[in-house]
């Protein structure tokens, strides 16, 4: 099934305890599209870049089956730039710079062929842009997933709450869930956030896995423990791309299917962190993904023997 993706396409400067990389290609839409491309070839990207964004990166996405008709290229302008520094735990980071550049006055225009996409991924970027994309869909997609971050909570909370009312699933990290809900307990936070609109909530906890909430149901998926984590940038977006990509491939929106989607998202994210930027997720094969899913199955299975307790 077709999947429309809106998000940033960006340059990132990344500092980890193990090294630095400058002007790495990143952005939410880039990671989401690469991850989803392992599941569906019908991906339609909505984004904006400056003249500085490499054509080769766009060609790479087209080769993976993505359509870029909805990506605006602004002559004489600079692409979105983000810079972050990871702490020793590699699970938390400080944003050092966010230069909106072309994103500051981005007015997304959906080509006709995008407007009836079956699935819509509102990747992390301004809630106003997310809303404009939603409003241009001529048919309500079967599923709308939204990602966001603290940056937008700080500067555009009202707009963010307006979009939340219109989406099916929100994916955010644990600290953002606390900020959005004002609750420390993630279970209470999940309740508060679902009252804001989305029926499903995914809380990403970095190396500590991800939680899925729906109605009274809850599911937890661990992150695969890895010997080396090189660069966590984009792991959340890669997770989202794997998650919605799996659902778009199967078309099955049951809770059981969402659980599997969480595992596929986690598997894709586990590749993302192994190298800087998109390098690793560009080089994996379906066999690599199947093998990693097998590792999750092993990691998560145990036999519950009846034990008499006193
Ligand atoms: P993640 O590590 O999954 O949170 O995603 C990191 C990516 O998000 C980087 O490639 C950045 O370019 C992009 N990014 C960082 N800040 C923002 C922001 N405020 N809006 C949109 N994208 C952002």
């Amino acid at each position: 099934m077709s999947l429309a993706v809106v998000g940033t396409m960006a340059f990132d400067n990344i500092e980890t305890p193990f090294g630095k990389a400058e002007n790495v290609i990143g952005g939410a839409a880039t990671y989401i599209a690469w991850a989803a491309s392992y599941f569906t070839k019908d991906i339609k990207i909505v984004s904006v870049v400056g003249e500085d964004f490499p054509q080769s990166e766009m060609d790479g996405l087209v080769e993976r089956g993505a359509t870029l008709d909805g990506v605006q290229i602004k002559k004489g302008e600079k692409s979105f730039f983000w810079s972050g520094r990871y702490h020793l735990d590699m699970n938390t980071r400080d944003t050092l710079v966010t230069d909106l550049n072309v994103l500051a006055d981005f007015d997304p225009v959906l080509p006709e062929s995008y407007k009836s996409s079956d699935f819509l991924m509102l990747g992390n970027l301004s809630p106003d842009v997310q809303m404009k994309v939603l409003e241009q869909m001529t048919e309500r997609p079967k599923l709308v997933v939204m990602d966001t971050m603290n940056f937008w909570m700080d500067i555009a909370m009202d707009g963010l709450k307006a979009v939340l009312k219109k989406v099916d699933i929100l994916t955010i990290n644990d600290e953002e869930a606390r900020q959005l809900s004002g609750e420390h307990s993630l279970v209470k936070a999940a309740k508060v956030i679902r009252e804001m609109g989305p029926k499903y909530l995914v809380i990403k906890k970095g190396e500590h896995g991800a939680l899925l909430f729906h109605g009274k149901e809850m599911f937890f998926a661990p992150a695969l423990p890895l010997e080396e984590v090189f660069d966590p940038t984009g792991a959340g977006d890669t997770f989202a791309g794997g998650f919605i990509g799996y659902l778009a491939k199967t078309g099955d929106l049951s809770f059981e299917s969402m659980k599997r989607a969480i595992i596929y998202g986690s598997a894709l994210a586990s590749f993302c962190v192994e190298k800087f930027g998109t390098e690793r997720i560009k080089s994996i094969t379906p066999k690599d993904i199947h093998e990693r899913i097998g590792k999750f199955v092993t990691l998560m299975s145990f036999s519950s023997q009846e034990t008499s307790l006193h």
Side-chain angles (χ1 to χ4, degrees):
M1 289 194 198
S2 54
L3 167 64
V5 175
V6 57
T8 44
M9 295 172 82
F11 287 107
D12 295 335
N13 279 8
I14 303 160
E15 282 181 43
T16 79
F18 309 107
K20 275 187 185 185
E22 293 193 346
N23 289 326
V24 176
I25 296 297
T30 309
Y31 285 105
I32 292 166
W34 270 100
S37 74
Y38 291 95
F39 301 91
T40 171
K41 291 291 163 208
D42 197 355
I43 300 173
K44 300 167 195 303
I45 305 180
V46 186
S47 192
V48 61
V49 294
E51 213 175 350
D52 51 0
F53 201 78
Q55 184 61 41
S56 57
E57 288 296 328
M58 299 205 254
D59 293 344
L61 283 163
V62 171
E63 274 165 34
R64 289 296 298 171
T67 305
L68 270 60
D69 298 348
V71 178
Q72 298 174 20
I73 304 172
K74 299 276 180 186
K75 284 228 165 8
E77 292 189 43
K78 285 165 82 178
S79 301
F80 177 78
F81 172 80
W82 175 80
S83 159
R85 182 187 293 136
Y86 287 87
H87 301 168
L88 255 187
D89 65 4
M90 291 290 263
N91 217 24
T92 48
R93 69 184 177 202
D94 296 322
T95 289
L96 305 178
V97 182
T98 301
D99 284 338
L100 294 177
N101 297 328
V102 285
L103 203 64
D105 53 5
F106 177 37
D107 189 14
V109 180
L110 261 61
E112 277 311 311
S113 61
Y114 282 43
K115 293 183 178 173
S116 52
S117 298
D118 301 301
F119 285 70
L120 176 60
M121 178 72 225
L122 299 174
N124 177 25
L125 89 186
S126 137
D128 287 351
V129 172
Q130 292 177 320
M131 184 63 104
K132 280 184 183 162
V133 169
L134 246 179
E135 284 172 345
Q136 288 176 62
M137 300 297 288
T138 47
E139 283 168 45
R140 172 64 163 81
K142 292 182 179 49
L143 190 77
V144 181
V145 180
M146 172 189 183
D147 187 36
T148 190
M149 72 184 292
N150 50 0
F151 180 84
W152 302 111
M153 291 177 199
D154 293 339
I155 66 166
M157 188 58 119
D158 289 347
L160 199 150
K161 285 188 175 166
V163 188
L164 269 178
K165 289 201 179 95
K166 296 182 178 282
V167 307
D168 302 303
I169 306 185
L170 174 69
T171 68
I172 43 174
N173 75 28
D174 42 359
E175 279 319 305
E176 290 155 358
R178 291 188 171 110
Q179 181 173 349
L180 183 59
S181 64
E183 291 286 351
H184 184 79
S185 147
L186 292 180
V187 176
K188 282 189 187 162
K191 215 171 152 206
V192 172
I193 293 169
R194 281 179 300 142
E195 279 161 9
M196 296 176 176
K199 292 182 287 298
Y200 297 82
L201 176 69
V202 177
I203 299 184
K204 301 167 286 181
K205 289 159 61 69
E207 65 167 334
H208 304 299
L211 286 157
L212 169 67
F213 295 90
H214 172 61
K216 290 192 169 12
E217 293 178 293
M218 193 164 45
F219 176 67
F220 172 72
L224 194 69
L226 297 167
E227 276 195 26
E228 275 182 290
V229 173
F230 206 67
D231 169 24
T233 309
D237 302 314
T238 303
F239 170 90
F243 175 77
I244 198 164
Y246 176 82
L247 294 173
K249 181 174 180 69
T250 62
D252 179 354
L253 300 181
S254 65
F255 193 70
E256 282 308 306
S257 173
M258 297 232 181
K259 288 184 187 176
R260 284 191 291 274
I262 294 267
I263 302 295
Y264 273 90
S266 305
L268 267 291
S270 75
F271 288 112
C272 175
V273 303
E274 288 179 341
K275 295 212 171 138
F276 268 119
T278 51
E279 195 182 338
R280 186 68 178 113
I281 50 158
K282 282 179 176 171
S283 67
I284 48 177
T285 63
K287 184 167 169 275
D288 294 330
I289 299 173
H290 286 306
E291 280 175 9
R292 211 150 264 203
I293 294 293
K295 289 191 176 166
F296 273 87
V297 173
T298 310
L299 182 69
M300 295 177 74
S301 51
F302 72 105
S303 64
S304 63
Q305 273 181 341
E306 277 288 320
T307 308
S308 62
L309 300 169
H310 305 283

